[in-house]
Amino acid sequence: TNTRYLHDVRVEYAERLIQRLPKPLEVCFFVNSGSEANELALRLARTCTGRRDVMVLEGAYHGHTSALTEISPYKFRGPGGFPQASWVHTAPLPDDYRGPFRRNDSNAGTRYAALAEDVLGNVPEPGLAAFICESAPSVAGQFLLPDGYLKAVYSAVRERGGLCVADEVQTGFGRLGTHFWAFEAQGVIPDILVLGKPIGNGFPLAAVITTREIAAGFDNGMEFFSTFGGNPVSCAAGLAVLDVMEDEDLQSHALRVGRHLLKGLRAIQKGFSLIGDVRGSGLFIGLELVRDQESLEPAAEEAALLVNRLKDLYILTGTDGLYHNVVKIRPPMPFTLQDADCLLERLDSVLQEDALLA
């Protein structure tokens, strides 16, 4: 099963993935989880640049290993956390709901990018190894990045000799509906792409995809090896997922159902001041709950109560965000219009409960 030995299904799966990607992303490394994939992405970037420093976004989460916890502010600034490492640099979250530059500002993307460039300017020599960023920040609060943000930041990182890593573990494979990959919505191509979760539909499978140049730079004599990553059964599962994605056109389905769901959520929002913001695309949606529409005081307790009451009604959501007040809605890709209506009906019912509104 291990990666020392080639197998036709592994090669076929790599070819199918690459068909879905822009050049020059064409070399695949297979592992078992998103955390393993982000670990490998870090190793690629550090080997190829000879540097260690990493820039991430505020509120970011990239995995549960020691190295990834160190670059995940969502973890090291949370309960049980620890001081930020000197080689980790945190850029402000491009929050166009409560941040300094809002959704009605057509230049919000470049203005937030300028804040990231300020952080880059303070990275000590020899400079940055990588900027790793979810192409649509999920754990930080289910955000779509403002237009132009990644294009400007990627350019600034590359000018300084760093590599750009797109973490698409939670946002890839058509979930946004408009694009197969969230980075496409920003008009960029990363140097390293990280995939996980959906590509195996629950089966342990993840991937790192990069350029031939970076792969060659990584081939420095220190072996990369995975006993189970990319084994024939995992790759067969990955191929089956791609078949279903294509045969059932789940990307277009996500866009259609997501639009219906967003419309319904915004209709409900009008009746409840608790809902400060409804955002997202396709089946990647966040509801930000606030106690006051002017001050935007986070309603974290209410969000937790809402999520638990929905669970009692067999609707599984979760809470995320810097203030734990964002209800994340990320249903399975085959989620139907009827499923969406069920969610909307039960959400409206829970919001009307006295305990939640008190």
Side-chain angles (χ1 to χ4, degrees):
T1 63
N2 71 54
T3 50
R4 280 198 176 100
Y5 310 109
L6 287 178
H7 191 284
D8 288 347
V9 72
R10 182 182 297 123
V11 177
E12 181 184 357
Y13 184 48
E15 289 174 344
R16 285 281 298 278
L17 281 176
I18 290 167
Q19 287 172 10
R20 281 282 187 174
L21 288 163
K23 289 185 179 299
L25 295 172
E26 55 186 2
V27 179
C28 298
F29 297 84
F30 294 119
V31 289
N32 304 288
S33 71
S35 289
E36 278 187 73
N38 272 325
E39 278 272 354
L40 179 56
L42 278 179
R43 187 175 157 193
L44 283 164
R46 286 170 169 165
T47 301
C48 292
T49 64
R51 304 169 179 178
R52 186 185 189 192
D53 288 52
V54 175
M55 184 171 75
V56 295
L57 290 185
E58 182 182 13
Y61 171 71
H62 295 292
H64 62 73
T65 65
S66 294
L68 297 177
T69 301
E70 286 180 322
I71 67 164
S72 297
Y74 187 81
K75 288 296 186 184
F76 68 69
R77 289 182 178 169
F82 46 81
Q84 181 170 317
S86 61
W87 47 266
V88 176
H89 310 276
T90 306
L93 179 69
D95 182 345
D96 60 3
Y97 172 61
R98 63 168 65 243
F101 312 117
R102 303 294 175 87
R103 210 161 293 160
N104 59 0
D105 183 348
S106 61
N107 296 313
T110 53
R111 289 182 173 181
Y112 278 114
L115 298 181
E117 290 183 48
D118 289 342
V119 174
L120 284 172
N122 290 318
V123 176
E125 293 295 334
L128 195 75
F131 167 54
I132 180 168
C133 176
E134 285 186 288
S135 308
S138 181
V139 169
Q142 298 288 102
F143 287 101
L144 298 179
L145 294 170
D147 289 345
Y149 178 77
L150 280 187
K151 186 171 287 188
V153 179
Y154 273 24
S155 177
V157 168
R158 286 167 173 158
E159 285 175 2
R160 293 165 172 80
L163 297 178
C164 300
V165 181
D167 181 342
E168 295 261 353
V169 170
Q170 300 195 55
T171 57
F173 267 52
R175 177 161 291 277
L176 296 190
T178 54
H179 301 81
F180 198 76
W181 311 105
F183 68 76
E184 293 175 308
Q186 285 279 308
V188 296
I189 300 174
D191 301 301
I192 302 171
L193 173 65
V194 176
L195 308 179
K197 293 188 200 304
I199 73 172
N201 192 33
F203 202 88
L205 180 63
V208 176
I209 306 177
T210 190
T211 67
R212 291 191 180 276
E213 180 183 7
I214 291 172
F218 183 58
D219 185 19
N220 65 353
M222 182 181 287
E223 181 183 25
F224 165 73
F225 175 77
S226 177
T227 300
F228 299 111
N231 71 75
V233 177
S234 294
C235 290
L239 283 167
V241 171
L242 283 174
D243 287 342
V244 171
M245 287 288 302
E246 294 165 4
D247 293 345
E248 300 183 14
D249 195 11
L250 289 182
Q251 179 184 332
S252 296
H253 175 82
L255 183 61
R256 182 171 63 255
V257 176
R259 283 174 172 167
H260 177 79
L261 187 52
L262 283 165
K263 181 179 179 181
L265 291 169
R266 286 171 178 144
I268 291 174
Q269 179 187 19
K270 294 177 182 178
F272 298 96
S273 61
L274 182 65
I275 302 177
D277 193 33
V278 176
R279 55 180 177 257
S281 176
L283 296 179
F284 178 85
I285 294 172
L287 302 182
E288 181 152 357
L289 304 190
V290 296
R291 292 174 179 161
D292 185 276
Q293 293 279 349
E294 295 298 323
S295 68
L296 305 185
E297 179 188 357
E301 292 179 10
E302 293 86 341
L305 179 58
L306 175 61
V307 164
N308 285 320
R309 284 293 295 122
L310 286 173
K311 182 183 69 173
D312 293 338
L313 298 175
Y314 307 101
I315 302 289
L316 298 180
T317 56
T319 58
D320 261 329
L322 300 183
Y323 309 102
H324 307 286
N325 66 321
V326 178
V327 177
K328 58 180 180 182
I329 300 175
R330 288 198 316 251
M333 293 291 280
F335 196 74
T336 66
L337 291 170
Q338 292 75 22
D339 293 328
D341 286 338
C342 176
L343 187 156
L344 292 167
E345 177 186 351
R346 296 182 188 184
L347 173 67
D348 186 66
S349 174
V350 170
L351 284 168
Q352 294 184 50
E353 295 177 1
D354 291 341
L356 192 66
L357 297 175

